């Protein structure tokens, strides 16, 4: 694209240690590096170290997301060969989808063109312009693939203009439809009024919004009872897209009906911090080991390690529970490395650490400080929803740690980030 940059998906370059690019017209490979990456929208910008790479190629212009049933062309390198693959199809529908890479709910366009593993990061063309980036499919369906539309691409490019990436904001409330006439009457809506019912509000937005508020319009665009707004061309979009298309720090005007009276609310667009961290892309997890007890912090990456099994509900509930302060995190006992010092507790797996000697634990650093500085003879750690107690001799716990690390071939008792 313009500016001698390459646009691709974030998951193509996540955790990469070495990146090369090549042109379809030549066999030479060029070293590249990541300029910006936004895991929220699964997009990344690359720079090529040798600018001669760009001498005989022209950048593509970014067009507008085409309407449904518009013919498109998808280019990429799907499994089954090394040559460039070109497939044709149409845009099937455009709606909010969950991005697999981040679990963010953002606008996506479904295509009926073949999109397979290897297509990710490939451009989708219409009228010789880029109108999307292929990025994910549905494993159980035939001919179901998705592209990141230009609305999201433009948001990402604008976000990078100040030299750093902030990502996408969240609406900060949950809502329900108002298609039932009795519910609308209960909320004192007039005959021709439409909107959605706000059912829950995050703590930061509580001064502005309340449960049972009715959202009538966003930036002057009316919201239907099913949550849709209509674009000038008549296309429907979920009203949340009007909020997430804003940059973090901007504001959006909400028209609210509260107890039968209209009010206007200026809602800041912001990114909310939850107790469960997101995916740990391009970074290693924090950990701390004492007496064979392996502690880490809760993240999507940790939960994903359960695979087809279901993680403990007490942990999954933290995915959308807000932090009370920026330093707060969920400390989890991942597993216990067997040793005589921890006999009786070696079956404990994936329990939240609640407190130590009655003191609630805020984060992993605080827990380490207690283990290293406590003068108590015994230490009692409580875990899980039932506050299961584990009481051990603290001196024996500390003394056993070096031998356990050596026996299990672990180079350090903590991650590098916690060594500082």
């Amino acid at each position: 694209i313009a500016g001698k940059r390459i646009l691709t998906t974030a998951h193509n370059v996540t955790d990469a240690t070495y990146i090369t690019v090549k042109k379809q017209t030549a066999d030479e490979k060029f070293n590249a590096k990541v300029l910006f990456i936004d895991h929220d929208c699964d997009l990344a910008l690359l720079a090529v170290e040798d600018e001669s790479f760009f001498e005989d190629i022209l950048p593509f212009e970014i067009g507008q997301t085409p309407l449904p049933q518009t013919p498109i062309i998808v280019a990429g390198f799907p499994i089954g060969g090394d040559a460039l693959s070109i497939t044709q199809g149409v845009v099937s529908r455009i709606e909010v989808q969950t991005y697999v890479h981040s679990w963010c709910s953002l606008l996506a366009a479904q295509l009926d063109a073949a999109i397979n593993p290897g297509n990710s990061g490939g451009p989708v063309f219409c009228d010789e312009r880029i109108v999307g980036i292929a990025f994910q499919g549905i494993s159980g369906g035939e001919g179901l693939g998705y592209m990141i539309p230009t609305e999201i691409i433009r948001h990402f490019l604008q976000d990078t203009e100040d030299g750093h990436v902030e990502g996408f904001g969240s609406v900060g409330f949950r809502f329900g439809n108002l298609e039932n006439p009795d519910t609308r009457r209960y909320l004192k809506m007039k005959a021709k009024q439409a909107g959605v019912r706000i059912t829950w509000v995050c703590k930061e937005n509580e001064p502005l919004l309340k449960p049972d508020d009715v959202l009538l319009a966003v930036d002057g665009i009316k919201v239907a009872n099913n949550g849709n707004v209509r674009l000038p061309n008549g296309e429907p979009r979920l009203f949340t897209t009007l909020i997430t298309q804003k940059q973090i720090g901007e504001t959006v005007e909400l028209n609210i009906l509260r107890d039968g009276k209209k009010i206007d609310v200026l809602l800041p667009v912001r990114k909310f911090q939850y107790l469960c961290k997101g995916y740990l892309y391009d970074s290693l997890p924090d950990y701390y080991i004492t007496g064979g007890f392996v502690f880490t912090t809760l993240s999507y990456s940790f939960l994903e390690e359960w695979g087809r099994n279901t993680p403990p509900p007490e942990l999954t509930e933290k995915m959308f529970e807000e932090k009370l302060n920026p330093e707060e995190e969920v400390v989890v006992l991942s597993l216990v490395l067997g040793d005589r010092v921890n006999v009786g507790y070696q079956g404990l797996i994936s329990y939240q650490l609640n407190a130590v000697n009655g003191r609630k634990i805020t984060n992993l650093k605080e827990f380490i400080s207690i283990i290293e500085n406590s003068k108590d003879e015994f230490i009692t750690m409580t875990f899980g929803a039932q506050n299961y107690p584990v009481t051990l001799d603290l001196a024996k716990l500390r003394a056993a740690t070096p031998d356990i690390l050596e026996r299990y071939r672990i180079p350090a008792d903590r991650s590098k980030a916690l060594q500082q």
Side-chain angles (χ1 to χ4, degrees):
I1 61 171
K4 295 183 178 180
R5 301 171 297 173
I6 294 175
L7 181 66
T8 187
T9 51
H11 73 260
N12 269 355
V13 294
T14 294
D15 297 323
T17 54
Y18 180 61
I19 302 170
T20 61
V21 297
K22 66 184 288 288
K23 293 180 281 191
Q24 177 67 8
T25 56
D27 297 314
E28 181 183 0
K29 292 182 179 180
F30 291 76
N31 293 335
K33 63 180 180 180
V34 176
L35 280 179
F36 299 102
I37 190 166
D38 185 354
H39 296 293
D40 285 356
C41 65
D42 197 2
L43 287 173
L45 271 180
L46 308 183
V48 182
E49 294 178 5
D50 184 350
E51 291 193 357
S52 67
F53 175 85
F54 297 99
E55 286 179 354
D56 58 348
I57 56 177
L58 297 173
F60 272 100
E61 293 182 13
I62 298 174
Q64 301 296 325
T65 302
L67 295 173
Q69 301 308 308
T70 302
I72 49 87
I73 295 172
V74 181
F77 297 87
I79 55 174
D82 294 327
L84 180 66
S85 169
I86 304 291
T87 56
Q88 293 182 319
V90 298
V91 175
S92 302
R93 54 186 170 187
I94 305 169
E95 59 188 1
V96 172
Q97 291 283 343
T98 299
Y99 281 36
V100 174
H101 186 68
S102 63
W103 281 25
C104 288
S105 295
L106 298 171
L107 196 65
Q110 182 181 316
L111 314 174
D112 73 347
I115 294 181
N116 295 294
N119 268 115
S120 289
V124 180
F125 298 111
C126 180
D127 295 331
E128 298 185 354
R129 289 181 172 85
I130 295 173
V131 295
I133 303 293
F135 79 120
Q136 68 186 38
I138 297 180
S139 58
E142 293 185 10
L144 292 178
Y146 292 91
M147 73 175 187
I148 302 169
T150 56
E151 292 92 331
I152 303 298
I153 294 172
R154 285 195 170 89
H155 184 287
F156 168 63
L157 295 177
Q158 183 182 345
D159 190 11
T160 65
E161 288 177 357
D162 60 0
H164 66 280
V165 173
E166 293 182 299
F168 284 71
S170 303
V171 297
F173 58 87
R174 300 188 189 120
F175 59 93
N177 72 62
L178 282 174
E179 296 174 309
N180 187 286
D182 293 332
T183 308
R184 296 198 298 272
R185 187 163 56 89
Y186 167 78
L187 294 170
K188 300 180 181 179
M189 296 174 67
K190 295 179 180 179
K192 293 186 178 181
Q193 285 181 329
V196 293
R197 181 184 193 174
I198 294 175
T199 58
W200 172 88
V201 181
C202 71
K203 292 180 177 62
E204 288 191 68
N205 284 344
E206 284 178 350
L208 300 173
L209 300 170
K210 300 180 184 300
D212 281 351
D213 279 353
V214 178
L215 175 60
L216 302 175
V218 178
D219 280 342
I221 302 175
K222 292 182 178 180
V223 178
N225 290 323
N226 63 358
N228 281 342
V229 295
R230 290 284 170 174
L231 301 182
N233 61 14
E235 275 290 297
R237 293 282 190 277
L238 190 63
F239 78 88
T240 58
T241 60
L242 300 179
I243 300 174
T244 56
Q245 73 182 13
K246 301 261 188 174
Q247 298 291 335
I248 290 177
E250 295 182 338
T251 57
V252 60
E253 184 179 10
L254 306 182
N255 302 121
I256 299 294
L257 183 71
R258 181 178 297 166
D259 197 28
K261 298 178 181 178
K262 284 186 178 182
I263 60 172
D264 292 330
V265 171
L266 283 179
L267 185 74
V269 177
R270 46 195 165 197
K271 202 166 187 173
F272 298 96
Q273 300 297 320
Y274 299 101
L275 286 175
C276 182
K277 298 177 182 178
Y279 287 109
L280 303 180
Y281 296 129
D282 300 312
S283 63
L284 294 172
D286 288 332
Y287 75 88
Y288 175 66
I289 301 173
T290 181
F293 291 81
V294 182
F295 295 91
T296 187
T297 51
L298 184 64
S299 66
Y300 283 8
S301 297
F302 180 87
L303 295 174
E304 193 174 63
E305 290 301 312
W306 282 75
R308 295 180 180 273
N309 298 318
T310 303
E314 66 184 76
L315 297 184
T316 56
E317 289 170 0
K318 306 296 181 182
M319 293 173 67
F320 303 106
E321 186 176 332
E322 292 174 80
K323 288 185 176 185
L324 296 178
N325 67 71
E327 302 299 319
E328 191 175 12
E329 59 190 17
V330 177
V331 179
V332 179
L333 174 63
S334 178
L335 75 160
V336 180
L337 304 173
D339 185 79
R340 68 182 65 185
V341 77
N342 53 49
V343 167
Y345 302 117
Q346 293 163 11
L348 297 179
I349 295 176
S350 294
Y351 282 100
Q352 180 181 354
L353 174 64
N354 299 325
V356 176
N357 288 352
R359 175 179 170 181
K360 187 178 183 297
I361 296 301
T362 302
N363 54 48
L364 194 52
K365 286 185 177 179
E366 181 185 55
F367 173 64
I368 294 172
S369 177
I370 293 173
I371 294 295
E372 294 184 342
N373 300 311
S374 176
K375 305 299 183 182
D376 296 330
E377 180 180 2
F378 293 96
I379 188 168
T380 298
M381 301 175 285
T382 53
F383 295 95
Q386 306 301 321
N387 278 318
Y388 181 79
V390 172
T391 300
L392 294 164
D393 184 305
L394 184 53
K396 290 181 179 179
L397 204 68
R398 293 168 177 160
T401 300
D403 181 59
I404 293 172
L405 294 176
E406 182 178 357
R407 191 174 342 121
Y408 286 90
R409 298 176 175 86
I410 301 171
D413 69 342
R414 68 198 73 185
S415 53
K416 284 188 177 181
L418 295 172
Q419 293 173 13
Q420 301 171 354

